[in-house]
Amino acid sequence: MKTLKTAVVSIALTALAATAWAQTKIKVGYTGSTDYVAAFVAKEEGFFQKRGLDVELQLMTNNALGPAALQSNSLQVATPTPPVLLQARDAGIDIVYVAGGSVITKQTTTVGLVARPGLDIKNAKDFEGKKVAIPGLGAILHITFQKWLMDRGADLKKVTMIEFAMPQIADAVKGGTVDAAVVTDPFLTRITTTGIGNLVSYYMSETFPPGTMGVGYATTSAWAAANPAALKAFREAIAEGAALATKDSALARAAIGKYIKVPPEILSTMQIATLDPIVTEKQVNDWSTILVQQGMLKAGEPASKIVAK
């Protein structure tokens, strides 16, 4: 009897080991934002694992690093904004979107413009002659801020934009190194609630139509072609994570707190990004048009090449 039990246990352990070994390993790079809460929830609730995926989430300082990490295969999935992905493709890196992260709505308050207290900065023209901290020149917040200024008649040549890492922006504003900043949550909420800076505008929601893509999940065309089953499973897990995160805000906030280390007092008040796991060709085309207009893209290419089937 003991021999039989031992054999059964051995078979069971072997089966478990084989199942674990057979899982497709995917390393996903993300930045400290609520835009990726669908992946956080999918990881915590086992949505990846039940589909045969062994997913590791890796925090990155800047999503602009994603394309190079995909090219070197140090990541299998990255989370670039549309400007980052489109400019990477323009430079010859063949990466494609496989799932959507977040979208902009009229209620989006996760991105904003802040100014040092005491400065009379209330509209786009007031930024002329000012120094503004930007977390990534050529990245989405730079491009969208420029569009906001241009749409409101401000002269871009009169606005000095200086690149800072997101965690350094609060100190730059507080110390007077810059007059204003473009910043996202959780840093936006920290700056405004502590009095370091005053909110000027939730400019994203003022500038872009609802449904504009904010971020997405991307991989190389080669990886997508070589792993169709894993790609399908990843999309399904992200969709399930997005649905649950949207339905259960308490669960979503708990996952956010774990993966981007937000203090409880900030986490309880910050807005959770609006999620949409589907990337459309129109979303990509709209961004391509904006980048061409600002001279940051040589020419647009068909979105059908940029959204994986």
Side-chain angles (χ1 to χ4, degrees), residues 1-89:
M1 182 64 72
K2 184 176 181 180
T3 302
L4 178 59
K5 286 182 178 180
T6 301
V8 170
V9 170
S10 177
I11 292 171
L13 290 174
T14 300
L16 286 172
T19 300
W21 179 84
Q23 287 187 328
T24 301
K25 293 183 179 296
I26 301 177
K27 185 177 288 187
V28 180
Y30 70 96
T31 55
S33 164
T34 68
D35 295 300
Y36 314 110
V37 64
F40 304 160
V41 170
K43 175 69 173 179
E44 289 301 290
E45 298 301 310
F47 298 158
F48 293 124
Q49 187 176 16
K50 74 178 183 180
R51 291 177 170 87
L53 303 180
D54 179 8
V55 171
E56 176 186 345
L57 301 181
Q58 179 174 312
L59 181 63
M60 304 176 69
T61 57
N62 190 329
N63 64 37
L65 302 174
L70 290 175
Q71 193 174 40
S72 67
N73 200 38
S74 58
L75 293 178
Q76 286 69 56
V77 175
T79 49
T81 61
V84 167
L85 183 140
L86 291 170
Q87 289 178 91
R89 288 186 61 87

Side-chain angles (χ1 to χ4, degrees), residues 76-140:
Q76 286 69 56
V77 175
T79 49
T81 61
V84 167
L85 183 140
L86 291 170
Q87 289 178 91
R89 288 186 61 87
D90 204 41
I93 301 177
D94 188 9
I95 56 177
V96 292
Y97 274 126
V98 298
S102 66
V103 293
I104 298 167
T105 73
K106 287 297 183 184
Q107 291 73 44
T108 296
T109 62
T110 55
V111 182
L113 304 174
V114 297
R116 281 193 292 117
L119 295 181
D120 188 22
I121 299 179
K122 297 178 181 177
N123 55 51
K125 293 286 287 184
D126 293 336
F127 282 90
E128 294 179 358
K130 302 298 191 298
K131 295 179 180 179
V132 184
I134 302 289
L137 295 175
I140 187 169

